[in-house]
Amino acid sequence: DSGVTQTPKHLITATGQRVTLRCSPRSGDLSVYWYQQSLDQGLQFLIQYYNGEERAKGNILERFSAQQFPDLHSELNLSSLELGDSALYFCASSVTGTSGPDTQYFGPGTRLTVL
Amino acid sequence: GQQLNQSPQSMFIQEGEDVSMNCTSSSIFNTWLWYKQDPGEGPVLLIALYKAGELTSNGRLTAQFGITRKDSFLNISASIPSDVGIYFCAGRNAGGTSYGKLTFGQGTILTVHP
């Protein structure tokens, strides 16, 4: 158990819908990262938050957004869902979120299926 | 974008054999991490490397941070059936606006035959 929790474990929805994925980081970690894992693209970085502020952006679609709340949990919002958005979405957390020695621990993931 | 080339893509070995996999990058990284992922689960951190040339062990696992900072390898000695899974390397850039972002290799699928 990494200490990072994600809910829900599975999510099945229809095209055009909007969903929210939730992540709670490890105790003491200030930085949260979101990754998408699909068969054809592998593990791709989406976005990073540090202590409530956006820190870095990766290949995140405009239909996707995220935020980190004062209690440090984070939510990833996916809207106008398309079939191609079906994937595993992982949250990871680390202490500082800097480029120095700082290790990311991953949650169990949310499997999103868009029908 | 950045590319991490991880090889081999898959390995089929007998229990007890040693395994070696590696990653190479077109860019310099200041951190190399190795993760193992079981189907439907999140990646689990195996080894973290923070200095060029660093050699670190974790039980039967040994990993090294290449001196060019563009490569890393992972060795597993005396493999056992529970080593089965997908192994990923991940690198983190040296500064700039990349902050903590990780770039992942494509993964090595390991199958161990009893």
Side-chain angles (χ1 to χ4, degrees):
Chain A
D1 185 354
S2 67
V4 179
T5 60
Q6 288 187 248
T7 57
K9 180 79 170 168
H10 301 278
L11 200 48
I12 301 175
T13 189
T15 55
Q17 295 297 305
R18 171 190 169 95
V19 297
T20 298
L21 313 184
R22 183 187 168 104
C23 167
S24 292
R26 294 187 321 152
S27 177
D29 284 359
L30 298 178
S31 200
V32 168
Y33 312 77
W34 287 97
Y35 292 86
Q36 180 192 57
Q37 186 176 37
S38 60
L39 283 174
D40 57 342
Q41 294 291 323
L43 267 161
Q44 297 285 322
F45 169 74
L46 295 178
I47 198 165
Q48 176 193 0
Y49 278 81
Y50 175 76
N51 206 19
E53 294 191 3
E54 182 182 305
R55 177 65 68 84
K57 250 183 176 177
N59 301 320
I60 188 167
L61 299 171
E62 285 192 10
R63 300 182 285 108
F64 296 0
S65 65
Q67 54 185 327
Q68 186 179 27
F69 295 87
D71 67 352
L72 300 178
H73 90 272
S74 177
E75 292 181 357
L76 179 66
N77 300 297
L78 315 176
S79 62
S80 303
L81 285 168
E82 302 175 358
L83 296 177
D85 298 327
S86 296
L88 272 166
Y89 290 85
F90 289 106
C91 168
S93 74
S94 70
V95 175
T96 67
T98 67
S99 58
D102 187 47
T103 302
Q104 291 181 30
Y105 294 88
F106 282 74
T110 293
R111 180 175 293 279
L112 174 66
T113 303
V114 182
L115 301 176
Chain B
Q2 264 186 336
Q3 294 284 329
L4 265 191
N5 294 310
Q6 184 172 348
S7 64
Q9 285 188 324
S10 60
M11 301 184 74
F12 298 84
I13 62 170
Q14 291 293 130
E15 183 177 358
E17 288 183 0
D18 297 344
V19 171
S20 185
M21 58 192 78
N22 68 85
C23 277
T24 59
S25 168
S26 56
S27 305
I28 290 173
F29 287 122
N30 70 346
T31 299
W32 281 96
L33 304 170
W34 285 91
Y35 290 88
K36 178 176 180 252
Q37 185 178 23
D38 292 328
E41 303 293 327
V44 175
L45 181 69
L46 299 175
I47 291 181
L49 303 159
Y50 299 115
K51 288 172 58 176
E54 180 180 355
L55 182 72
T56 297
S57 293
N58 177 10
R60 294 179 295 106
L61 278 60
T62 302
Q64 184 157 32
F65 192 142
I67 57 173
T68 67
R69 299 169 67 189
K70 291 185 177 182
D71 63 308
S72 177
F73 72 75
L74 174 71
N75 288 339
I76 305 173
S77 63
S79 59
I80 58 178
S82 63
D83 290 334
V84 165
I86 306 175
Y87 291 79
F88 290 97
C89 61
R92 188 168 64 222
N93 291 89
T97 58
S98 302
Y99 295 102
K101 167 195 170 184
L102 292 179
T103 300
F104 280 85
Q106 305 96 320
T108 295
I109 301 171
L110 179 63
T111 303
V112 180
H113 294 287

